[in-house]
Amino acid sequence: MSDQPNTNIITLTRHVLADQFELGPVASGDLTLLLTAIQTTSKFIATNVRKARLINLIGLAGETNIQGEEQKKLDVLSNDIMINSLRASGKTAVLVSEELDEAVFIDEKHRGKYCVVFDPLDGSSNIDAGVNIGTIFGIYHIRPDSKGTLQDVLRPGSEMVAAGYTMYGSSANLVLTTGKGVNGYTLDAALGEFILTHPNIRVPPRGKIYSFNEGNSMYFHEPVTKYLNSLKYPSNGKLPYSARYIGSMVADVHRTLLYGGIFGYPDDKKSKNGKLRLLYEAFPMAFLTEQVRDLEVLNDVWKVTGLTCICLFIWFVVQAGGIATTGTKRILDIVPTDIHQRCSVFLGSKDDVADLQKFYQQEAAAKENGTS
């Protein structure tokens, strides 16, 4: 007898609603509705990405964004889709997009209690080549008594309440955290729903892949160069790491979260503040990375030690599976001063990122000794 199809599918909406029910009466349902709006935009963008060449969405739109980058037609369309859907949800107060010079403040009629920062189409330079691209987003709750100002988004990434991305490629994958682990969903085109396919994503403590744009090697600072050499020419008899770089942050980070390793886009002699944007690229990806938890180890500790719930929770937070750093400080602790601020980014398996940090620490120690 052939296997029957699963009749108990868990959709993104069902999963988010289940989390809401767990919170009980304190949950307003506003975040659930906002996440529903975001998954709707992801479906809409996914459809247009698939049909882009057929409906003449390939190529430049003839404009540049605030970053000075030429906008693709799909960039502009994706931004419009996001803005319209988030405004119509009635749950947002401030929107920040990579494609817009200024923040969007929602009119009182449609104003809600959340702020969304987003890159509507990351990796858009790959559109014409059919390479994976994606949408990145982060969500803040507005401050108490605020009606939605710029200060509601110029806050550390650690204050986000949710973050995620949708990757458009051979399938559309939405990866999301609301602060309690990370889950991945795949769009079932027939059902028109995102289905839970990667529950409780866990990043290994160490991987075998590094993802850097080594075309910029001549501009890298010494700690990065030394670290990369240690991966390519290990002196301890271990095998060298494999290099994988797609050039789309969503795709490179997605692989890193699933397989482990390290993703890096450092500041260098050419881009002194780094290339990636802090608010809507670095923060959401860092928030996700630190939420990817090693649940198998956690369960083993529970069985062996019988920790109390409070101690278990503390251990759970400390043992978050990934690290995200600029090389010298935690990304989520940075306080932004501009909505389009840039920063250096390294994220991935905790052991791999810790190895990188040692080279920065060695450089700092050498400078200190040289001036003492």
Side-chain angles (χ1 to χ4, degrees):
M1 183 176 180
S2 61
D3 292 336
Q4 294 295 317
N6 182 13
T7 58
N8 188 33
I9 57 174
I10 300 176
T11 65
L12 173 56
T13 302
R14 172 180 167 180
H15 207 189
V16 173
L17 281 172
D19 288 343
Q20 179 186 326
F21 293 151
E22 284 185 12
L23 292 174
V26 298
S28 66
D30 286 355
L31 182 59
T32 300
L33 291 172
L34 177 55
L35 291 172
T36 299
I38 289 175
Q39 71 164 313
T40 299
T41 66
S42 295
K43 294 174 189 176
F44 195 177
I45 295 172
T47 298
N48 283 285
V49 168
R50 290 290 181 86
K51 298 190 299 183
R53 189 164 293 279
L54 298 175
I55 58 177
N56 196 31
L57 286 177
I58 296 295
L60 300 175
E63 299 176 357
T64 58
N65 61 18
I66 184 62
Q67 319 301 333
E69 300 163 340
E70 291 184 316
Q71 289 178 307
K72 302 281 188 174
K73 294 177 183 178
L74 266 176
D75 278 324
V76 178
L77 178 65
S78 299
N79 183 68
D80 290 345
I81 291 170
M82 292 285 289
I83 294 291
N84 290 334
S85 181
L86 293 173
R87 177 188 284 116
S89 73
K91 304 303 175 186
T92 59
V94 184
L95 306 177
V96 173
S97 169
E98 182 197 23
E99 301 301 328
L100 300 176
D101 296 6
E102 305 292 338
V104 175
F105 299 98
I106 304 300
D107 56 279
E108 187 175 355
K109 179 181 177 182
H110 295 96
R111 188 182 303 147
K113 296 183 179 180
Y114 290 96
C115 308
V116 184
V117 295
F118 59 93
D119 181 348
L121 208 59
D122 169 70
S124 57
S125 61
N126 290 319
I127 291 173
D128 295 4
V131 176
N132 286 15
I133 52 182
T135 299
I136 308 172
F137 61 88
I139 302 173
Y140 290 96
H141 197 286
I142 62 172
R143 297 166 300 158
D145 302 321
S146 174
K147 294 185 178 179
T149 70
L150 202 58
Q151 296 308 311
D152 287 309
V153 295
L154 293 179
R155 294 153 61 190
S158 57
E159 296 184 19
M160 284 183 169
V161 297
Y165 60 81
T166 306
M167 183 176 68
Y168 314 110
S170 58
S171 59
N173 301 94
L174 194 155
V175 176
L176 173 70
T177 180
T178 55
K180 297 186 297 182
V182 179
N183 293 291
Y185 309 83
T186 302
L187 181 62
D188 185 322
L191 294 176
E193 292 284 354
F194 280 99
I195 308 299
L196 180 64
T197 52
H198 296 76
N200 299 319
I201 294 174
R202 301 183 292 271
V203 62
R206 183 176 292 280
K208 300 177 181 178
I209 298 172
Y210 71 94
S211 182
F212 286 66
N213 181 2
E214 292 192 89
N216 291 328
S217 292
M218 67 178 291
Y219 304 113
F220 286 165
H221 294 303
E222 190 172 349
V224 178
T225 300
K226 287 183 174 179
Y227 172 68
L228 292 178
N229 285 337
S230 75
L231 299 183
K232 293 183 284 187
Y233 310 104
S235 58
N236 51 12
K238 294 183 178 179
L239 293 174
Y241 276 44
S242 297
R244 298 286 186 273
Y245 184 72
I246 298 171
S248 169
M249 187 185 190
V250 167
D252 284 315
V253 171
H254 186 70
R255 182 195 56 249
T256 302
L257 293 183
L258 293 182
Y259 302 153
I262 184 170
F263 166 83
Y265 210 116
D267 57 350
D268 55 36
K269 298 166 189 172
K270 182 177 67 172
S271 303
K272 299 188 183 302
N273 295 318
K275 187 75 181 291
L276 298 176
R277 271 65 58 148
L278 177 64
L279 201 58
Y280 42 78
E281 291 178 329
F283 273 173
M285 292 307 201
F287 194 76
L288 278 165
T289 300
E290 292 197 6
Q291 288 295 324
V292 178
R293 313 177 193 252
D294 194 344
L295 296 183
E296 288 180 352
V297 173
L298 182 63
N299 289 335
D300 288 343
V301 170
W302 172 264
K303 292 173 185 175
V304 172
T305 65
L307 295 172
T308 65
C309 289
I310 293 176
C311 289
L312 178 65
F313 176 75
I314 294 173
W315 191 92
F316 194 81
V317 173
V318 171
Q319 292 296 321
I323 297 177
T325 177
T326 64
T328 58
K329 58 186 172 184
R330 182 183 181 224
I331 288 175
L332 292 179
D333 288 339
I334 300 173
V335 180
T337 56
D338 182 83
I339 61 174
H340 297 296
Q341 183 175 334
R342 299 174 188 261
C343 78
S344 179
V345 174
F346 303 98
L347 58 83
S349 298
K350 57 186 178 182
D351 290 347
D352 288 314
V353 180
D355 287 347
L356 168 93
Q357 290 175 307
K358 290 175 185 176
F359 287 95
Y360 277 95
Q361 292 163 1
Q362 290 170 7
E363 181 186 57
K367 287 181 179 178
E368 185 176 343
N369 293 333
T371 57
S372 59

